[in-house]
Amino acid sequence: MNAFTVLGIETSCDETAAAVLRFSEDAPFKAEILSNVIYSQFDEHAAYGGVVPEIAARAHAEKLPPILQKALNDANLTIKDISLITAATGPGLVGALLMGSTFAKTLALGAQKPFIPTNHIEGHALTALLTEDTLKPPYLLLLASGGHCQIVHVEDVGYYTTLGATLDDAAGECFDKVGKMLGFTHPYAPKVEDTATKGDATAYAFPKPKTADELDFSFSGLKTAVLNAINKEAQKNTLTDQTKANIAASFQHVVATSLAEKASAALQRTGAIPLVVSGGVAVNKTIRSALKAVAEAHNVPFYAPPIQLCTDNAVMIAYTAGLRALHTSTPEKLQNIAFKVRPRWPLEEMSLPTSTE
Ligand code: KG4
Ligand code: ZN
């Protein structure tokens, strides 16, 4: 089999997505995106100030059939043309994961196709390999999303060492909470970034997070400091749009500086390897440019996937399953129709099967 197609389904949080990719066995890191369909459940959760797990699961159930249909139509294929089916089976919201994976497994059984469970974080970790022609492992990954903030040494497909992780809130979660405290509506983080462009990043000296291991993250102290500043301004009746912009800019500056310092310290440990940023927070321009500066200082290349592939999507899920199948001599061992969803699923457990196992 020289070329094969993968259908991927993503439902780990509040995005319902399906995508079809075509792989060639001659090109170990490349794939062609035949379709990429995403439905973001912003409206469903807007009234609640955050993602409501039960509502997310119901919305996935409702949206999955038309989204699958569109993904196949856009790819100009039918389910018969698909070689293997995958879904994000963790980490994430358990009800949301169950919807997507049960849908995908049922589809696989009906169409008699193999099903491979895929780790959502591995999807974020590998995306840059799809979009950047010159990138190859090993590289240092800074993954900053709503639920995760970690620094990973990606030695190869299936070989990951987490060098640091968040002790409390993830960076994206902190952006969301600060946006909420500033009175914005869901989705909060892009509004924090937008208002920060009008603010003075030196207006507030928020504390830089400190951790026992310099590669770990902690953002809850920063969040409390921002909340205190907001409350103080509100009491004085000075919480104007300009004050909010100053708070947002000062907050964003501390997050960017902190992420940049951790990335720099990690590069000291790994030696000179490319720096890759991924996950929803990688969309943030201030954070991207702080990390780019770190890569330049270490004289290593810097890569960030295109914005639409940084946030949750099914391309990264299909890509990960296809890549894993290509990078093992026993791809049939990846198939697992009985796999249970895993709300927690560390990257370290993603080593590839070998012929002797
Ligand atoms: O990777 P992602 O789409 O989903 C998870 O796997 O969590 O990341 C979503 C997170 C949100 O929590 C949001 O706070 C963050 O990405 N995000 C941003 C921006 N846009 C989205 N953070 C900072 N600046 C942004 N412009
Ligand atoms: Zn994600």
Side-chain angles (χ1 to χ4, degrees), residues 120 124 145 312 316:
H120 175 95
H124 281 302
S145 70
D312 288 350
M316 67 181 194

Side-chain angles (χ1 to χ4, degrees), residues 279-357:
V281 180
V283 164
N284 187 287
K285 293 186 199 69
T286 304
I287 291 171
R288 272 189 190 225
S289 60
L291 292 168
K292 189 161 182 268
V294 168
E296 276 162 14
H298 285 263
N299 215 4
V300 297
F302 174 70
Y303 299 98
I307 284 167
Q308 70 277 16
L309 295 180
C310 271
T311 49
D312 288 350
N313 63 83
V315 168
M316 67 181 194
I317 303 303
Y319 181 60
T320 298
L323 212 54
R324 287 173 63 80
L326 273 180
H327 284 253
T328 168
S329 57
T330 52
E332 65 284 355
K333 288 190 183 169
L334 295 170
Q335 297 173 27
N336 191 349
I337 196 87
F339 189 89
K340 294 196 176 106
V341 297
R342 294 201 43 189
R344 290 180 184 279
W345 193 8
L347 261 183
E348 271 79 2
E349 293 183 22
M350 299 316 299
S351 56
L352 286 168
T354 58
S355 49
T356 52
E357 256 172 24

Side-chain angles (χ1 to χ4, degrees), residues 26-350:
D26 314 329
F29 292 106
K30 288 298 119 201
E32 191 188 344
I33 302 174
L34 303 183
S35 63
N36 176 19
V37 187
I38 304 181
Y39 174 77
S40 292
Q41 305 172 358
F42 290 145
D43 294 344
E44 282 82 347
H45 303 284
Y48 304 94
V51 176
V52 182
E54 170 72 17
I55 292 175
R58 283 168 188 245
H60 289 312
E62 195 181 303
K63 296 291 179 194
L64 275 165
I67 281 178
L68 166 70
Q69 186 69 69
K70 181 158 170 45
L72 289 172
N73 289 351
D74 288 358
N76 227 347
L77 298 174
T78 70
I79 196 73
K80 288 200 193 99
D81 304 313
I82 300 294
S83 314
L84 69 90
I85 297 177
T86 184
T89 46
L93 302 172
V94 67
L97 290 166
L98 274 169
M99 284 300 169
S101 63
T102 306
F103 182 78
K105 286 176 182 178
T106 310
L107 202 61
L109 282 173
Q112 295 187 315
K113 306 286 177 184
F115 173 81
I116 294 183
T118 292
N119 182 308
H120 175 95
I121 298 296
E122 192 176 16
H124 281 302
L126 298 177
T127 305
L129 287 169
L130 170 65
T131 57
E132 310 291 339
D133 283 343
T134 51
L135 176 66
K136 297 276 168 295
Y139 56 87
L140 184 73
L141 170 81
L142 174 67
L143 169 59
S145 70
H148 300 269
C149 196
Q150 57 197 78
I151 297 189
V152 181
H153 186 186
V154 177
E155 285 148 71
D156 205 342
V157 177
Y159 294 90
Y160 314 103
T161 308
T162 301
L163 303 178
T166 185
L167 304 176
D168 41 57
D169 292 2
E173 189 181 350
C174 197
F175 260 91
D176 293 335
K177 287 177 179 167
V178 165
K180 200 171 184 178
M181 294 183 310
L182 286 171
F184 301 139
T185 52
H186 182 72
Y188 305 103
K191 291 168 190 155
V192 173
E193 178 175 17
D194 187 46
T195 195
T197 59
K198 298 163 213 137
D200 172 5
T202 63
Y204 296 83
F206 292 132
K208 207 182 309 159
K210 282 207 175 65
T211 48
D213 184 322
E214 62 175 346
L215 296 190
D216 284 336
F217 304 88
S218 165
F219 291 105
S220 74
L222 172 62
K223 186 186 63 189
T224 308
V226 172
L227 179 62
N228 289 341
I230 293 172
N231 286 343
K232 246 190 214 159
E233 299 293 358
Q235 271 162 16
K236 290 190 288 174
N237 242 342
T238 47
L239 193 59
T240 60
D241 284 349
Q242 186 56 54
T243 315
K244 287 184 180 181
N246 290 346
I247 291 174
S250 304
F251 157 74
Q252 183 175 264
H253 171 73
V254 176
V255 176
T257 315
S258 171
L259 293 178
E261 283 179 6
K262 310 265 171 194
S264 182
L267 280 172
Q268 299 277 13
R269 282 199 207 174
T270 59
I273 52 175
L275 176 61
V276 174
V277 62
S278 185
V281 180
V283 164
N284 187 287
K285 293 186 199 69
T286 304
I287 291 171
R288 272 189 190 225
S289 60
L291 292 168
K292 189 161 182 268
V294 168
E296 276 162 14
H298 285 263
N299 215 4
V300 297
F302 174 70
Y303 299 98
I307 284 167
Q308 70 277 16
L309 295 180
C310 271
T311 49
D312 288 350
N313 63 83
V315 168
M316 67 181 194
I317 303 303
Y319 181 60
T320 298
L323 212 54
R324 287 173 63 80
L326 273 180
H327 284 253
T328 168
S329 57
T330 52
E332 65 284 355
K333 288 190 183 169
L334 295 170
Q335 297 173 27
N336 191 349
I337 196 87
F339 189 89
K340 294 196 176 106
V341 297
R342 294 201 43 189
R344 290 180 184 279
W345 193 8
L347 261 183
E348 271 79 2
E349 293 183 22
M350 299 316 299

